[in-house]
Amino acid sequence: MGEGTVGAPLVAGFATDLARHGDRPALRTADRSVTYAELDRLAASSRDALEALTPAGSRHLVRLTPAPTIEFVVAWLAALTGGHTTLLTGDAGIAAAYATSMAYDEHGWCPTGVTAPELHPDLRLLLSTSGSTGSPKLVRLSADNLASNATAIASYLGLGAGDLALTTLPLDYCYGLSVLHSHLAAGAALLLDDRSVTEPALWADARRHGVTSFAGVPYTFDLLGAAGWPELPTLRQVTQAGGRMSPERVRTLAEQGRVEGWELVVMYGQTEATARMAWLPPHLTTTHPHAVGIAIPGGSLRIDPVEGAEPGVGELVYAGPNVMMGYAESPADLARGPELDELRTGDLARIGPDGLVEIVGRRSRFAKLFGQRIDLDRVQTLLALGGHEAGCAEAADAEQLVVAVPGAADGPALAEVAAAVVVDTGLPAHAVRVVPVDDLPRLPNGKLDTQAVARLEAVAEGGHDSPVRSLVRLYGRVLGRDLVGPQDSFVTLGGDSLSYVELSLRLERRLGRLPSDWQEHTIADLALLDGDPATGTTRQRRFARIDTTIPLRALAIVMIVGSHTNLWLLVGGAHVLLAVAGANFARFHLTDEHARQRLRRVGRAAARIAVPSVAWIGAVHLVTGDYPWRTVFLLNDLLGGARWSEPAWHFWFVEVALVLAVGAGLLTSVPRVMALERRHRFALAVGLTAVALVPRFWATASSYDGDVIHSSVFVAWLFLGGWAAAVARTVPQRALVSGLLLLGTWGFTGDTQRDLIIAIGVLTLVWLPTVPWPRALIGVTGTLASASLHIYLTHWQVYPHLENRWPLGGLLASLAIGVLAWRIGERIPSWTRLIERPRPHHYAPNHTIRQEAR
């Protein structure tokens, strides 16, 4: 056993006398609640059991595997209050290397049979840390470190007995553990759960228990953005640390919180400071989103000069009672006492005139090449501003700068990265080694593994094509993107309803049945599905399940053209397509992003409709003079009269769909509306649908003599109803949407058959996310759906030549010409670059990039 006495152990204050909080809830799980009085008894009983296995005058080095369970918390408190030293790790190798003498499992305390090393009397906790250098070591923390940091955090967060935090972070991570400690210090409660933040059941339990706060790292908020912000009526506080979020993201979240009644608290810390060193008061998040704030209570921050740094920038140094005792790199180090009274963070920072600290980089992230000192973080920031994710490191031979680019980027993209690095750093081209990788190498804590990057070698062309690379190229071809990586998804790449059809059907042929939300899955995740994406093979069945919007689009366009050729009279398809457009708007354009990004996304989608429409109608106008200028520029709905004239009404659907999509995009880009949409997606959509029904019924009740069924004001409820259908998740929600759509459809056009067709179409959209479809028809169905816009545009100039003599020929010719126009449009390079691809990245001079990076 380790030497030392346990007679009068130094104990962290948050762990002592838990019973003073009485019957307040301390820990909750999905099916159990433990009060502070009960927790005190459980910890004492566990401590007694541990002491029974401990020879007099000895201390254990305890290994605990962290887990969000009552049993883990009890064991941790027992070891802590018993004066033992605990190593929190799930890594058996680290536990063996440091000679842990006691472990805890489902059966209780278990001696390992190993003699613990000598332990310093103050030492209470060992946590792993692994910085960007990739050299793991242990941080030695004392009882005073733990107690002071917990008290400080509870103080500046204003925690009290009524607070209930949800465990959304691992408990061997200093940030996650600090949530436990600070809440125990304040007599607050924790809801213990290990489910992902993307699981709806997690948030259902959180609502049921009345959770008031949760913590997140930047990736947490990325996941919530994709899955949807949780509805937590009792939420009062969200904390963020574990890495820098962009100022725009901080501001957006803070504004969302202000609307919804909760505060965002941005924090800064390191394991070496137990957890937290600085915090940004919530009222400053919108005005100073770039800052990490001020020192926590009891601590202080200063800037020490660093050679070569910008004026006012230096290394951030922290002093306070939570500064670690020191590092441990071997068992012998566990006997050492406190060695530090301040922490040199290794972060480059500046302190503004308002006293707020801003982190600008890492001191250790410099390379010395060709006599130049290269700031690797600034190089990565430069590339990120140009749209390239990358990881940089000095090569092992110290003769090159290695730049790892994830996502199987092609030759031109890699050349662009290399050119940008050369321009920014001033290095000769041969000193920059750009290496494509599937994913950036990461350490267990998620940070860049710079040692692995440094060892990367340039790869030769060729080799076996992996499933991930195959899908990356497929996404790039269909979406017209040069830069696609394994962690991209259809949504993050800016996919829209036009590209959705082609890509979903290609994926279905390669992978088999797709998840209903495949568009939100990363390429890497989809590559793990059944089938062989590299060869494009999967087990074939006669029927495949495909997205309902695909056959709806195909059937609707065939019905529209067939009705115009007098082959049949099945009208109403265009109105169904408006509902489909609304559903696709919700799926592809309401992703969690900034307002400007949302506007760009909607703008790109609108351009993919408007550009070919204006081009075709304009060409027809120049040749025949048939269409007035308002029709050419799709302005009849906005600038025309109450009634459509002949032949202006030909393109009413295109105009109305554009107006409604752009209008909805503008509305949901307003920060307050965006925040409302994230938290109350269904309520907002169904509320807008109900409001849009008002003018529809006003027109009927007032005997309005204008065109009702072709005007955006009177058909907006269909678009919004499609939006509501896309976000409806439960049977009652779908029933409500169905009721509103049926209410709007009843008697809408004055033609019972037409109203019935519309009703069937929208109800199919609401209740059937996917439908079984003959595999033999998937190709033609997908082609017609993808080409539906071009068929609609061109058929007006095709079918009149055949409708009287051969109506079927008019239909077939219209479909064929429209498909041909679509194929031509997809293959014109300048066309796809104008509409689908982002503008080329132009790299500014160094000083410009430096200012933007701030």
Side-chain angles (χ1 to χ4, degrees):
M1 298 298 150
E3 296 180 1
T5 177
V6 296
L10 297 172
V11 179
F14 61 83
T16 59
D17 192 20
L18 296 171
R20 71 184 184 277
H21 298 301
D23 290 332
R24 293 180 192 170
L27 304 175
R28 296 181 183 178
T29 64
D31 55 5
R32 184 182 175 189
S33 180
V34 173
T35 67
Y36 271 94
E38 185 180 359
L39 181 60
D40 189 76
R41 290 192 296 272
L42 290 171
S45 176
S46 183
R47 183 173 62 246
D48 291 344
L50 177 57
E51 293 309 308
L53 299 171
T54 307
S58 297
R59 297 170 59 212
H60 280 295
L61 177 56
V62 176
R63 175 197 173 183
L64 286 181
T65 301
T69 64
I70 293 172
E71 291 74 18
F72 164 77
V73 175
V74 168
W76 161 230
L77 293 175
L80 179 61
T81 56
H84 301 280
T85 299
T86 299
L87 170 59
L88 284 187
T89 182
D91 190 325
I94 293 179
Y98 279 87
T100 54
S101 59
M102 183 66 67
Y104 186 90
D105 61 21
E106 65 272 15
H107 303 296
W109 295 110
C110 308
T112 64
V114 176
T115 300
E118 183 180 354
L119 304 171
H120 190 276
D122 293 348
L123 183 60
R124 290 294 176 271
L125 179 62
L126 298 170
L127 289 178
S128 293
T129 181
S130 187
S132 298
T133 61
S135 301
K137 47 193 168 184
L138 298 181
V139 168
R140 297 182 288 123
L141 299 172
S142 68
D144 189 43
N145 292 152
L146 298 172
S148 63
N149 207 226
T151 301
I153 295 170
S155 173
Y156 71 71
L157 291 182
L159 299 180
D163 283 303
L164 174 62
L166 176 65
T167 54
T168 50
L169 298 170
L171 291 175
D172 57 344
Y173 174 34
C174 67
Y175 183 12
L177 192 62
S178 74
V179 175
L180 171 65
H181 293 170
S182 58
H183 281 69
L184 291 178
L190 290 99
L191 177 59
L192 303 173
D193 204 305
D194 63 352
R195 286 173 290 186
S196 167
V197 296
T198 62
E199 295 189 41
L202 171 71
W203 300 109
D205 281 346
R207 283 191 297 275
R208 180 166 59 88
H209 285 277
V211 161
T212 61
S213 69
F214 67 88
V217 297
Y219 187 55
T220 305
F221 300 103
D222 291 340
L223 292 174
L224 289 176
W229 191 263
E231 292 187 21
L232 290 177
T234 53
L235 185 66
R236 78 167 187 88
Q237 194 172 73
V238 175
T239 63
Q240 183 270 317
R244 183 178 185 269
M245 282 203 308
S246 70
E248 187 174 19
R249 185 71 178 278
V250 171
R251 183 182 289 112
T252 299
L253 280 173
E255 290 173 345
Q256 177 184 344
R258 187 165 299 173
V259 171
E260 298 178 0
W262 50 266
E263 295 179 331
L264 175 68
V265 183
V266 175
M267 306 186 295
Y268 163 76
Q270 293 180 359
T271 309
E272 290 84 345
T274 308
R276 306 273 66 81
M277 290 183 282
W279 70 294
L280 183 64
H283 69 277
L284 298 176
T285 49
T286 55
T287 55
H288 298 80
H290 56 284
V292 296
I294 58 177
I296 65 172
S300 64
L301 293 163
R302 74 169 193 272
I303 300 294
D304 274 4
V306 171
E307 181 183 356
E310 299 176 20
V313 172
E315 183 177 12
L316 186 63
V317 180
Y318 174 80
N322 53 310
V323 172
M324 66 176 177
M325 298 172 66
Y327 289 114
E329 299 185 75
S330 70
D333 294 333
L334 304 186
R336 291 158 52 186
E339 299 168 326
L340 302 171
D341 54 11
E342 62 181 21
L343 177 64
R344 307 193 71 83
T345 66
D347 287 326
L348 295 176
R350 62 167 60 89
I351 299 180
D354 49 14
L356 298 179
V357 176
E358 178 188 357
I359 307 297
V360 298
R362 285 287 293 171
R363 182 174 183 179
S364 59
R365 294 276 291 142
F366 283 88
K368 193 72 175 289
L369 296 166
F370 291 84
Q372 298 187 58
R373 195 163 181 265
I374 309 298
D375 183 342
L376 301 180
D377 283 324
R378 196 171 71 85
V379 174
Q380 291 179 185
T381 299
L382 162 79
L383 294 173
L385 289 171
H388 299 293
E389 182 186 8
C392 301
E394 184 177 355
D397 59 8
E399 292 184 357
Q400 284 186 309
L401 175 62
V402 182
V403 183
V405 181
D410 58 14
L414 297 176
E416 186 179 4
V417 170
V421 174
V422 167
V423 169
D424 180 67
T425 62
L427 291 172
H430 66 80
V432 178
R433 182 195 310 165
V434 180
V435 184
V437 294
D438 285 337
D439 296 288
L440 290 178
R442 300 279 182 189
L443 298 167
N445 63 4
K447 294 184 179 180
L448 180 71
D449 188 343
T450 54
Q451 290 189 359
V453 173
R455 292 191 296 267
L456 290 173
E457 298 290 342
V459 295
E461 294 293 328
H464 176 68
D465 194 18
S466 71
V468 173
R469 288 180 183 272
S470 176
L471 291 185
V472 162
R473 284 202 306 275
L474 174 64
Y475 272 65
R477 285 197 303 271
V478 174
L479 298 178
R481 298 286 188 182
D482 290 326
L483 301 175
V484 180
Q487 298 308 312
D488 286 323
S489 69
F490 179 82
V491 171
T492 62
L493 289 170
D496 56 27
S497 60
L498 298 179
S499 51
Y500 176 84
V501 175
E502 180 179 0
L503 185 56
S504 65
L505 294 179
R506 285 176 177 261
L507 289 174
E508 194 278 335
R509 284 195 292 268
R510 290 192 181 207
L511 306 177
R513 184 173 179 177
L514 296 173
S516 60
D517 58 346
W518 70 265
Q519 67 273 10
E520 297 176 2
H521 288 244
T522 65
I523 296 173
D525 287 342
L526 291 177
L528 299 176
L529 297 177
D530 292 338
D532 184 358
T535 61
T537 62
T538 186
R539 191 174 72 176
Q540 298 292 309
R541 300 179 180 88
R542 293 180 61 187
F543 283 81
R545 295 201 71 87
I546 63 175
D547 189 284
T548 301
T549 62
I550 297 173
L552 278 180
R553 287 170 62 172
L555 290 172
I557 195 64
V558 171
M559 288 168 55
I560 291 169
V561 178
S563 297
H564 290 169
T565 63
N566 295 320
L567 185 63
W568 50 61
L569 188 61
L570 296 172
V571 289
H575 291 86
V576 174
L577 287 180
L578 277 181
V580 171
N584 287 333
F585 171 83
R587 291 198 293 178
F588 308 138
H589 303 306
L590 295 183
T591 55
D592 188 47
E593 52 193 9
H594 309 311
R596 283 180 292 179
Q597 291 175 316
R598 180 169 292 184
L599 287 173
R600 283 195 295 268
R601 184 188 295 271
V602 173
R604 284 196 301 268
R608 294 196 68 201
I609 297 174
V611 170
S613 299
V614 171
W616 177 261
I617 301 170
V620 173
H621 169 76
L622 292 176
V623 173
T624 67
D626 283 348
Y627 299 115
W629 70 268
R630 280 203 301 262
T631 301
V632 172
F633 293 104
L634 306 174
L635 295 174
N636 282 294
D637 187 62
L638 294 177
L639 302 180
R643 306 189 68 85
W644 291 77
S645 60
E646 177 74 30
W649 71 272
H650 285 182
F651 304 103
W652 76 269
F653 169 76
V654 178
E655 291 195 27
V656 168
L658 270 175
V659 168
L660 294 176
V662 172
L666 291 172
L667 174 66
T668 55
S669 296
V670 176
R672 290 183 179 273
V673 179
M674 182 181 286
L676 181 65
E677 184 273 324
R678 285 173 178 158
R679 185 166 183 182
H680 302 291
R681 290 185 170 181
F682 179 74
L684 176 64
V686 80
L688 290 174
T689 304
V691 170
L693 284 170
V694 173
R696 173 255 183 272
F697 283 106
W698 171 85
T700 302
S702 64
S703 300
Y704 176 71
D705 63 354
D707 191 328
V708 173
I709 66 173
H710 298 130
S711 171
S712 59
V713 173
F714 303 111
V715 298
W717 60 274
L718 280 164
F719 180 93
L720 296 168
W723 172 357
V727 298
R729 293 291 180 265
T730 65
V731 170
Q733 288 179 345
R734 290 190 174 96
L736 177 58
V737 177
S738 299
L740 289 174
L741 288 172
L742 288 176
L743 182 65
T745 304
W746 187 264
F748 176 54
T749 67
D751 180 339
T752 301
Q753 177 182 286
R754 191 175 199 172
D755 292 343
L756 183 60
I757 289 174
I758 298 172
I760 292 173
V762 296
L763 289 179
T764 300
L765 184 66
V766 172
W767 291 99
L768 297 176
T770 62
V771 292
W773 204 251
R775 190 172 293 278
L777 297 180
I778 286 180
V780 65
T781 304
T783 298
L784 292 175
S786 297
S788 56
L789 171 65
H790 294 76
I791 295 171
Y792 186 86
L793 291 173
T794 59
H795 86 285
W796 299 105
Q797 281 68 52
V798 178
Y799 80 84
H801 301 288
L802 295 169
E803 64 175 321
N804 293 325
R805 293 174 296 166
W806 187 27
L808 177 60
L811 170 65
L812 296 176
S814 296
L815 298 179
I817 294 297
V819 170
L820 178 62
W822 168 64
R823 292 291 187 189
I824 293 173
E826 291 292 297
R827 281 161 175 73
I828 299 176
S830 59
W831 179 292
T832 56
R833 288 185 183 278
L834 172 65
I835 299 175
E836 295 186 77
R837 299 182 182 180
R839 291 174 293 177
H841 306 301
H842 298 288
Y843 293 91
N846 294 356
H847 69 276
T848 305
I849 294 298
R850 187 175 299 114
Q851 291 298 323
E852 290 186 48
R854 293 177 187 173

